């Protein structure tokens, strides 16, 4: 009985691992090229040997190994495993990789694997496939499972509906403790993949009326009714609750999961704290990728070359036009530049340094927005806080570059021009960098994507204008 | 009895909230400037009113409100609350803010608040204080608690010792089920803040010998001994296990917590899955901040101006010298530039666009490293995968800029020079961007901090060299 209980029983996989105090020691002794052994076993061995080998690999080595096989080889490996083990394997892959592999399989095999996944992962993966591919798989699934997956995949990954699972303990409020214990004993096997720490209690109309922590059953008589034991009026969310709502909820409440209900209060599923934290990490990673110009979705180097090139290029080509706009300022002042060629040496310094200062301000604004320490409407406040830093750092950088300019050229006026320009442009850069994420957020744009290019373009234009405008005004001193 | 059980009982705070299906609805109706009401209640109201008001604010509003008070006002608020509520409040703040506030309080008040925090948060906060401040607080704590906190704060935040808590259920393996149930009934109050889903079972020498899922006690006789019920040889980690080890462990095993043991196998504490996910999110956020030049630790705009300016400047001043190095290439070719001034218009475009392409490659490498899809030794593999993208995107961007140059200047050779230069430099940029994070990681540096500046400097130097070197070679055609 004990070994059947979920979440803590050492599964076949775990008990066959060397009992070790160092969780990484199991992996370091393994073959350096696990994909070769994986493929060999798929081609020559039994499925038991293959599954045994895969279960000994760490999850990162599993992902690494699959990523080194070509499509045909991946199929050989997946088809050589039973569906449950194949599901375990692909659930450790980046979502986009898992979806790609499902798409390669025939729909019967794919459906058998999808069938073994928890409902939230089913929905995420099906959502990543084309409509035709998803439909072909759904048709092979049991009807109620297919219906549930269709519903769930209608939600975004980062709203409650997209994070929720349907697998949970749910009991009627009229049941007795002994009924529950009997149910658990009878269905131990069915419950082995779900979270049995709480049971959700519904009335005859499926409306959520209470939550029952299972360990409480230790302390009560078996003839008591759930409606007398449960915690009434539990907190719940709608399927459309946003990631921010859920982060806030789990931050405020020490819950492990929150139930999801529809407009009538009927229980739809539960969202685990873990699922919310997973999406939160994904959001942080996605902000980083976007800020570096990977904006079309996740890129892995195993993806097709033309897709990778095209996605990156779509971002680069916007930037090239913004850059040409900034360069137009230089073109306008060509005569000044021709007369004082030393200025050309300093233009890229002004441009890069202002970009650096501005990016720092962007990062702090993004961080404060995500911590809730600043509201998108508080632009004036942020602007002033940035200007004060800009005055200090602009002075320091301006003086530094001015000294370099004088040493380089010997003309003190060149130092004055580039020093003042960098000072002024640092203030412009931190102002824009600090305020732009707030403005973008306020008007519903994604600040992680758009802040960088906007910042660079404006600071380049201003920077070139300051240097060359000042130089034109002081041209007689510079020649 | 039921209401005393941890983790699920609606606390005073939760039960007094409007029972709502939308978790954010409680906050939107509140005062727009919660810090004013908070301060008013601290100055005029009772501590009960203040605590009631604070408990109704969302955690982000709590953090926002405190961040808008000056230091004296913050003290008034914290001192007006009882220690447990003050601890709850500061535990929702960014760690660096919480530590700053503790440092302001006298050590007796600070110790009373620290006393109410779980042991891992105690250690994190004390680690952020100066040695003197931490020592003063430790002296006010009960001796065993102080000793535990001293030990824990010796660990880094991102190793098992720094994430572990000492609060857990631990029982001797000779105890009977009935002893455990009696212990739970007697100590319900003491256990109200700890996780009672598992008990950890030790032998007479405090060595961990088993883990016991508490709900299993539902199915067994009260006269059975724990040693017969527990899961033997549980997985455990050393206190020095890294964040990566723990991520891997929780990824592979569906556990909620893992026990930490010393070299002798004695139980030290447990690390919750949540704590690991929290640190994982922090690491992703920190990578983003570092990539944008916020490298001296977290910056919030409530921090002192000079600290913020100095930290940012330390990063900027390294960059300015790197930039001057790149500008030296331009200086070297001044004569060519003077002869063909139109080149000066295109230098910043080449520099910026190469930076953009290189940053994309950096981001993909960082992502693949964190997913384990590439090993730090596989530089050649990554290089080739980047060169292939660089050939495509370099051609596209090169042709685009070449057309712009011809339209601008009318001389086809100018187009050839800037086009070829951007093509070649795009390949350089993606090569360096892809490979540099692997090299840095392999040699133990933080790729998030150093990749950007290294990339920018090398691509700027190469880019300027390509444009001006080519132009010098073709000077007769350009004039």
């Amino acid at each position: 009985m004990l070994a059947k209980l979920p979440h803590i029983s050492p599964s076949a996989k775990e008990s066959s691992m060397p009992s070790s105090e160092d969780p990484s020691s199991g992996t370091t002794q393994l073959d350096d090229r696990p994909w070769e052994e994986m493929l060999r076993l798929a081609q020559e061995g039994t499925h038991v040997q293959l599954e045994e080998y895969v279960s000994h690999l760490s999850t990162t080595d599993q992902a690494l190994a699959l990523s080194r096989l070509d499509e045909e080889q991946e199929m050989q490996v997946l088809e050589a495993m039973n569906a449950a083990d194949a599901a375990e394997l692909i659930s450790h892959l980046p979502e986009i990789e898992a979806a790609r592999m499902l798409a390669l399989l025939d729909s019967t095999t794919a459906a058998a694997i999808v069938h073994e996944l928890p409902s939230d992962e089913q929905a995420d993966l099906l959502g990543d496939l084309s409509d035709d591919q998803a439909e072909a798989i759904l048709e092979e699934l049991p009807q109620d499972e297919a219906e549930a997956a269709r519903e769930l995949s209608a939600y975004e990954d980062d709203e409650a509906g997209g994070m929720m699972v349907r697998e949970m303990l749910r009991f009627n409020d009229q049941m007795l403790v002994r009924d529950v214990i009997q149910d658990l004993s009878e269905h131990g096997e069915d419950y082995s993949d779900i979270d049995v720490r709480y049971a959700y209690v519904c009335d005859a109309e499926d409306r959520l009326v209470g939550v029952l922590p299972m360990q409480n059953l230790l302390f009560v008589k078996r003839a008591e009714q759930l409606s007398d034991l449960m915690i009434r009026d539990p907190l719940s969310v709608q399927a459309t609750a946003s990631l921010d709502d859920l982060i806030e909820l789990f931050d405020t409440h020490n819950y492990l999961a929150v139930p999801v209900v529809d407009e009538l209060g009927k229980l739809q599923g539960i969202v685990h704290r873990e699922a919310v934290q997973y999406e939160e990490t994904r959001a942080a990673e996605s902000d980083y990728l976007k800020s570096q110009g990977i904006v079309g979705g996740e890129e892995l180097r195993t993806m097709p070359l033309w897709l990778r090139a095209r996605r990156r290029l779509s971002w680069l080509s916007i930037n090239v036009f913004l850059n040409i706009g900034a360069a137009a300022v230089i073109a306008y002042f060509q005569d000044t530049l021709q007369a004082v060629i030393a200025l050309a040496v300093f233009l890229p310094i002004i441009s890069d340094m202002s970009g650096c200062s501005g990016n720092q301000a962007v990062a702090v604004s993004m961080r404060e927005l995500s911590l809730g320490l600043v509201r998108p409407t508080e632009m004036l406040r942020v602007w002033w806080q940035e200007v004060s830093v800009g005055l200090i750092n602009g002075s320091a950088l301006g003086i530094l570059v001015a000294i370099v300019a004088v040493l380089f050229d010997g003309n003190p006026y060149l130092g004055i021009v580039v020093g003042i320009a960098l000072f002024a442009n640092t203030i412009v850069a931190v102002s824009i960098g600090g305020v732009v994420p707030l403005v973008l957020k306020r008007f519903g744009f994604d600040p992680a994507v758009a802040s960088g290019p906007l910042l660079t373009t404006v600071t380049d234009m201003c920077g070139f204008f300051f240097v060359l405008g000042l130089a034109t005004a002081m041209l007689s001193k510079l020649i």
Side-chain angles (χ1 to χ4, degrees), chain A residues 55-357:
Chain A
S55 74
H56 278 71
L57 293 176
S58 70
T59 51
T60 48
D61 274 350
Q62 290 176 8
L64 177 72
L66 270 187
S67 77
R68 297 304 156 88
L69 300 177
D70 65 29
E71 297 196 344
E72 197 182 331
Q73 294 167 333
E74 286 169 352
M75 291 309 92
Q76 287 179 340
V77 169
L78 287 177
E79 283 164 3
M81 300 178 85
N82 72 39
D85 286 306
E88 174 86 16
L89 178 58
I90 73 163
S91 75
H92 293 146
L93 300 180
E95 192 179 309
I96 198 165
E97 281 282 285
R100 181 180 62 74
M101 287 186 201
L102 273 190
L104 295 172
L105 292 164
D106 67 274
S107 58
T108 314
T109 315
I113 295 175
V114 168
H115 177 65
E116 298 289 336
L117 292 169
S119 49
D120 60 335
E121 287 181 37
Q122 287 185 344
D124 286 353
L125 283 182
L126 291 171
D128 288 339
L129 296 175
S130 74
D131 287 351
D132 286 353
Q133 291 166 335
E135 205 41 54
I137 292 174
L138 284 165
E139 274 170 23
E140 306 272 343
L141 289 177
Q143 203 181 339
D144 56 336
E145 197 177 320
E147 235 165 75
R150 273 197 193 95
E151 269 177 48
L152 288 183
S153 59
Y155 295 108
E156 297 295 325
D157 286 4
D158 64 350
E159 55 185 15
M163 287 180 254
M164 113 188 144
V165 292
R166 289 173 183 275
E167 293 85 356
M168 64 186 148
L169 286 185
R170 59 192 291 169
F171 298 114
N172 185 275
D173 61 346
Q174 303 301 309
M175 282 172 78
L176 307 182
V177 171
R178 82 161 58 87
D179 304 330
V180 170
I181 292 181
Q182 187 176 350
D183 179 88
L184 291 177
S185 311
E186 283 169 8
H187 296 95
E189 190 70 36
D190 302 344
Y191 293 157
S192 67
D193 285 332
I194 72 173
D195 183 343
V196 297
R197 289 163 289 172
Y198 299 104
Y200 298 87
V201 185
C202 294
D203 65 13
E205 275 89 47
D206 278 340
R207 283 186 301 243
L208 177 73
V209 292
V211 173
L212 184 67
M214 293 301 282
Q215 74 260 33
N216 288 15
L217 297 183
L218 280 172
F219 305 99
V220 295
K221 298 219 169 60
R222 300 202 165 193
E224 286 200 66
Q225 201 175 50
L226 297 194
S227 59
D228 296 326
L229 299 172
M230 68 192 189
I231 298 160
R232 291 177 176 276
D233 295 326
L235 206 66
S236 60
V237 296
Q238 298 276 338
T240 50
S242 70
L243 179 59
D244 284 343
D245 291 341
L246 288 161
I247 290 172
E248 170 73 28
L249 184 144
F250 282 108
D251 217 16
T252 318
H253 301 277
N254 195 13
Y255 296 152
L256 293 162
V258 65
V260 181
V261 297
D262 67 12
E263 314 81 50
L264 301 172
K266 290 189 183 180
L267 181 59
Q268 303 294 300
I270 56 175
V271 175
H272 285 284
R273 176 185 284 270
E274 266 172 64
V276 172
Q277 280 181 320
Y278 173 79
E279 287 299 332
E280 195 181 357
T281 304
R282 284 225 325 192
E285 287 164 350
S286 158
D287 276 357
Y288 165 73
L289 289 175
K290 287 177 192 162
S291 73
Q292 303 285 96
I294 301 295
V295 300
E298 174 144 69
E299 177 185 328
L300 303 174
R301 293 202 180 93
T302 43
M303 288 164 51
L305 175 60
W306 285 99
L307 178 66
R308 293 164 59 216
R310 200 182 62 225
R311 282 203 190 158
R312 290 198 196 178
L313 199 54
S314 67
W315 166 255
L316 293 172
S317 44
I318 294 171
N319 272 279
V320 86
F321 283 107
L322 295 175
N323 258 294
I324 291 169
V329 177
I330 307 180
Y332 178 79
F333 287 107
Q334 254 186 115
D335 295 341
T336 303
L337 206 53
Q338 179 109 47
V340 193
I341 196 67
L343 290 168
V345 177
F346 289 91
L347 287 178
I349 298 182
I350 306 283
S351 155
D352 273 13
M353 290 313 300
S354 306
C356 284
S357 295

